[in-house]
Amino acid sequence: MFRRNRRTLQVAAATALLVTAATACNAAAKDDASDAASGGSGKSFTLVTPDAVGQNEFLELAVTGVKAAAKQHDGTQKVYESTDTASQQQNVQAAVDAKPDVIVLVGFEFADLVAQQAQKNPKQQFLIIDACTNKAFKNVSCAVFREHEGVYLAGAEAGLLSKSGKVGAVDVLDTPQFRRYSDPFAAGAKKVAPKTATGTRFVGGQSPFDDSARAKEQANTLLSQGYDQIMAAAAAGNYGVFEAAKAKGAFAYGVDVNQCPSAPGTVVDNVIKRTDIAVEKGIESVLAGKTGTTVSYGLKEGGISLTGLEAGVDSSKCVIADHKDVLAKVKDLRDQIVAGKLTVDDPAAS
């Protein structure tokens, strides 16, 4: 969902780094794949990313997934990195022309392109991660995430850690899909601290996905009202939320990847999307003949997690690493969700 967030997550604060990565990848898009194909005699897989991989952990995980699938099948893998709409189109066409066993694409940017190619190439198998085509195709499989489950756990952390008893969120837009990052946060907080006051502010405006100033403004509104734990679901504007929280001595929560290094001492935890799991399991499903389906990945499947629940939390620079007692309670909630004993409401459910 937060493609624009992932596009700038690791490089928004360093424009020069973004320019360098884009320049390198534009050349790769016109020529060969950015990652050389690995040897082997088995299946072949091609991954197409919407942006330069660089230090983008979300896309790095996708690369890890396709490499793992290639290794498992003694096959080959190739990665095409895109930088804009033109290179996305070029890379998808190049992938189709190569005719691998499975073409994996990450993000909503590829939905329309895949729909067109799926009709023209009915024998080619496609796997879209974190999005899907509007129309179903027998040769298009999709992997989506139950983000609301992870957000609920982050909310529980916030409820347990809040000193003021006020937990809020800065969300991109006031729509059911985006409320997956705010409503469950409030629900999780109330689960562990029923008297918690909750509130959400929306970025909106002309550029809701890339407006750090507006995101910071919305965060400051909550902070001025005494909120001390804020879910940052403002895409690239998350950095504005982190700045506001740091200035007030409050705390924030990130999304998609570990954003704690961006604001050590301020970011408590992150709702992680394990794209590597979705890619690897998605490829397995396609090869097993289970095509044309949409599979949802949540806590049970390992597709959604928190940095605090992953290995390496002690070196993550996340505040939650210093609260083992809170993590123990959150792990219990996770286990209840995985076992089906606790259901998290999905704001986007029809």
Side-chain angles (χ1 to χ4, degrees):
M1 186 200 316
F2 283 96
R3 273 273 7 112
R4 287 184 177 86
N5 185 34
R6 296 194 277 280
R7 177 173 298 152
T8 55
L9 263 176
Q10 300 300 322
V11 297
T15 304
L17 179 59
L18 178 61
V19 172
T20 300
T23 300
C25 293
N26 276 330
K30 296 177 182 177
D31 201 343
D32 292 328
S34 56
D35 278 0
S38 58
S41 57
K43 301 294 183 179
S44 59
F45 312 112
T46 297
L47 171 68
V48 184
T49 68
D51 309 302
V53 176
Q55 297 179 15
N56 187 322
E57 294 178 30
F58 185 83
L59 297 180
E60 285 180 345
L61 285 175
V63 173
T64 298
V66 77
K67 287 183 176 179
K71 181 177 181 180
Q72 182 175 352
H73 293 279
D74 188 29
T76 61
Q77 58 78 27
K78 189 171 285 189
V79 180
Y80 287 92
E81 299 181 39
S82 311
T83 58
D84 52 26
T85 301
S87 60
Q88 288 165 9
Q89 295 173 345
Q90 293 167 7
N91 287 339
V92 171
Q93 187 60 58
V96 170
D97 292 342
K99 299 181 179 179
D101 288 281
V102 184
I103 297 176
V104 183
L105 312 98
V106 183
F108 68 83
E109 289 92 338
F110 296 111
D112 291 339
L113 288 173
V114 169
Q116 296 168 10
Q117 293 287 357
Q119 289 181 312
K120 297 177 182 177
N121 305 278
K123 293 184 179 181
Q124 175 64 60
Q125 291 297 329
F126 298 88
L127 171 63
I128 309 179
I129 306 297
D130 207 20
C132 200
T133 53
N134 290 326
K135 177 183 177 181
F137 296 92
K138 292 183 178 180
N139 58 331
V140 177
S141 302
C142 305
V144 296
F145 297 93
R146 299 195 299 277
E147 300 96 339
H148 54 290
E149 294 181 350
V151 173
Y152 182 90
L153 295 183
E157 291 179 338
L160 291 167
L161 293 172
S162 178
K163 301 297 184 182
S164 67
K166 291 186 175 183
V167 169
V170 175
D171 213 335
V172 175
L173 294 168
D174 188 3
T175 67
Q177 190 69 23
F178 288 105
R179 275 188 171 274
R180 273 184 156 195
Y181 286 85
S182 50
D183 290 2
F185 191 70
K190 288 180 176 291
K191 173 68 175 180
V192 298
K195 295 183 179 180
T196 300
T198 62
T200 301
R201 301 287 298 184
F202 300 94
V203 179
Q206 296 297 314
S207 185
F209 294 91
D210 300 290
D211 199 333
S212 289
R214 284 179 66 90
K216 185 175 182 178
E217 179 182 337
Q218 299 304 330
N220 276 325
T221 297
L222 291 172
L223 293 166
S224 67
Q225 296 171 359
Y227 288 80
D228 64 351
Q229 306 280 326
I230 300 178
M231 180 71 206
N238 272 11
Y239 294 101
V241 177
F242 299 159
E243 289 176 3
K246 182 177 181 179
K248 297 292 185 180
F251 299 92
Y253 297 75
V255 295
D256 290 351
V257 299
N258 179 17
Q259 294 191 290
C260 295
S262 300
T266 296
V267 181
V268 177
D269 209 339
N270 310 273
V271 179
I272 302 294
K273 285 186 181 180
R274 292 294 303 274
T275 45
D276 55 335
I277 299 294
V279 169
E280 194 169 356
K281 288 188 175 183
I283 287 176
E284 284 302 308
S285 181
V286 170
L287 295 181
K290 300 177 182 178
T291 61
T293 62
T294 296
V295 179
S296 175
Y297 292 86
L299 295 172
K300 183 176 182 179
E301 298 80 11
I304 290 292
S305 185
L306 298 181
T307 302
L309 299 178
E310 296 281 283
V313 60
D314 290 333
S315 60
S316 66
K317 297 186 178 181
C318 292
V319 173
I320 196 63
D322 297 324
H323 297 278
K324 303 299 184 184
D325 56 331
V326 171
L327 280 177
K329 295 177 181 178
V330 170
K331 287 178 181 177
D332 181 62
L333 288 175
R334 177 200 60 188
D335 293 344
Q336 290 182 46
I337 295 172
V338 170
K341 297 179 180 179
L342 174 61
T343 300
V344 180
D345 291 335
D346 182 1
S350 56

